[in-house]
Amino acid sequence: MAKKGRVFVRGLTSETYGLNDFRKQQLAVGRVRDDSVIVDDAKVAHSGDSEKSRTWWRVGPGDEDFLTQTIQVHFVELPGQSSNHGHGHQNEAAFYILEGRGYEIHDDQRYDWAKDDLVFVHTDSVHRHFNPYEEKAKALVVKAKSTWMFMGLIQQGRSGPIDRPEEFGEREDWSRIWTPGVLDRKKVISPKDTTWETTPLGRTRVMASPERTDARIFSVDAYELDVPEGSRSGKYWKMADEVFYVLEGGGHALQWEVEAEIAEKYYARVAKEPKRFELTEGDTLYVPQNHICQLFAADGSPLRVFSAQNRVFKHLGYDKVHYFEDAPEYQG
């Protein structure tokens, strides 16, 4: 990407009506990426970094091997006593704080954050990250930016005057067209704002979802899952694709492909054998659309992961998760 220019949205073309070849190509790509994978080093067409801050992508729409463009994953690192330049854009973003502490300036307002917090950059925000402390700060950033791009919401950039100012009137308050009440929603979800619950999936804490109307984010759903050592999550099926980041521990994942048989109606055909993916701390795991997945913690080590997916699937009618098997800890 860095040599060719930045990709915001990947095209989808085919010489036939069916897209089987395209899906086969997508599913053939490896789904686990570690620190050795950098698909964009932010040296071309990026505006946020300062001389000290660092940004790098692990999953994005410009990946040479197609994975997803419903959810992007990148990292931001701030050494002690530093900040980035900041910028503005229409799309939302969610920052999971992996290390350290600091604060944001969003639309001239300050929001403090620390490890294990989830921080939201709201729609149409001018934002900048600050680390005034001695220790390094690092964040995992997930966002559904391609959704905005598909819909033509492409405004972004650094502070500066508009082009052709003589052709436009005085400033108006942009928030007039935002969802009513968003200014009262939380921009930082801390552990104290969440509750660990034992669900069919396992022990989870939800940080962003349609049900969390106190959180100021509309495009990304996020939760943490904690699988005890030697145990497993529920075996679940959903339409949305998903990205896991391994926060702690290790283990493996099983994924079953689901094929569509189009007869007098749609039927789902589940692969008899799953694909297996080994996991260790710092890895990202991709779960493609329309798959069944189950996570397993290694013996002697719990597995704690952060999950993110694009909420738009739920608005398209795919808002249910089906469990073929509950987590062992769930009592029903």
Side-chain angles (χ1 to χ4, degrees), residues 51-323:
E51 291 182 0
K52 291 185 176 181
S53 68
R54 179 184 173 218
T55 304
W56 68 101
W57 266 251
R58 186 173 290 183
V59 179
D63 292 351
E64 292 298 333
D65 293 325
F66 179 77
L67 282 174
T68 181
Q69 53 187 350
T70 73
I71 199 81
Q72 298 180 37
V73 178
H74 73 271
F75 298 88
V76 173
E77 186 174 277
L78 295 173
Q81 302 290 333
S82 72
S83 68
N84 68 353
H85 285 311
H87 55 197
H89 46 69
Q90 286 196 279
N91 63 276
E92 295 177 329
F95 291 70
Y96 183 93
I97 308 303
L98 297 171
E99 300 178 39
R101 53 191 174 132
Y103 66 90
E104 300 287 297
I105 297 294
H106 293 178
D107 293 354
D108 214 25
Q109 299 291 317
R110 174 168 169 159
Y111 303 91
D112 287 86
W113 43 256
K115 186 178 181 299
D116 295 333
D117 287 349
L118 189 64
V119 186
F120 306 130
V121 175
H122 63 263
T123 302
D124 315 313
S125 172
V126 178
H127 66 102
R128 186 177 177 184
H129 319 308
F130 292 84
N131 176 11
Y133 307 104
E134 294 301 324
E135 68 269 22
K136 176 183 70 175
K138 181 180 177 181
L140 170 76
V141 186
V142 292
K143 56 187 179 182
K145 183 170 184 174
S146 294
T147 301
W148 271 261
M149 296 292 169
F150 276 123
M151 294 189 293
L153 304 178
I154 61 175
Q155 292 168 336
Q156 58 185 38
R158 293 278 295 279
S159 299
I162 67 169
D163 294 333
R164 301 174 287 117
E166 70 282 356
E167 299 180 20
F168 295 88
E170 297 299 318
R171 291 175 173 175
E172 301 284 352
D173 188 348
W174 194 284
S175 67
R176 291 177 178 179
I177 55 173
W178 286 344
T179 297
V182 294
L183 296 176
D184 298 324
R185 296 190 179 202
K186 291 184 173 71
K187 292 291 301 295
V188 180
I189 299 295
S190 300
K192 64 181 176 58
D193 300 313
T194 62
T195 302
W196 284 98
E197 298 180 280
T198 302
T199 70
L201 182 62
R203 185 169 179 264
T204 62
R205 73 175 183 107
V206 176
M207 291 169 278
S209 73
E211 293 72 34
R212 285 215 63 149
T213 56
D214 62 333
R216 192 176 175 180
I217 194 162
F218 297 89
S219 62
V220 172
D221 289 339
Y223 64 86
E224 272 190 45
L225 171 66
D226 189 1
V227 183
E229 59 182 81
S231 189
R232 62 188 184 276
S233 73
K235 181 180 176 182
Y236 67 99
W237 173 30
K238 61 181 173 61
M239 187 59 66
D241 59 347
E242 183 176 18
V243 173
F244 286 105
Y245 180 82
V246 181
L247 297 166
E248 181 182 352
H252 69 275
L254 298 181
Q255 295 182 14
W256 290 261
E257 181 183 350
V258 179
E259 180 62 270
E261 182 176 353
I262 304 176
E264 74 280 0
K265 65 176 185 178
Y266 264 71
Y267 291 96
R269 302 288 296 271
V270 179
K272 293 180 179 179
E273 297 296 330
K275 292 183 178 179
R276 176 173 171 139
F277 303 93
E278 302 299 322
L279 300 171
T280 190
E281 187 172 323
D283 286 348
T284 53
L285 169 70
Y286 178 57
V287 184
Q289 294 91 345
N290 198 19
H291 265 62
I292 296 166
C293 183
Q294 191 168 26
L295 301 178
F296 295 78
D299 291 336
S301 173
L303 175 64
R304 188 166 68 97
V305 297
F306 171 79
S307 164
Q309 72 173 64
N310 190 323
R311 190 181 297 176
V312 72
F313 287 90
K314 295 175 180 176
H315 296 297
L316 296 177
Y318 299 114
D319 54 355
K320 185 177 179 181
V321 177
H322 177 76
Y323 289 93

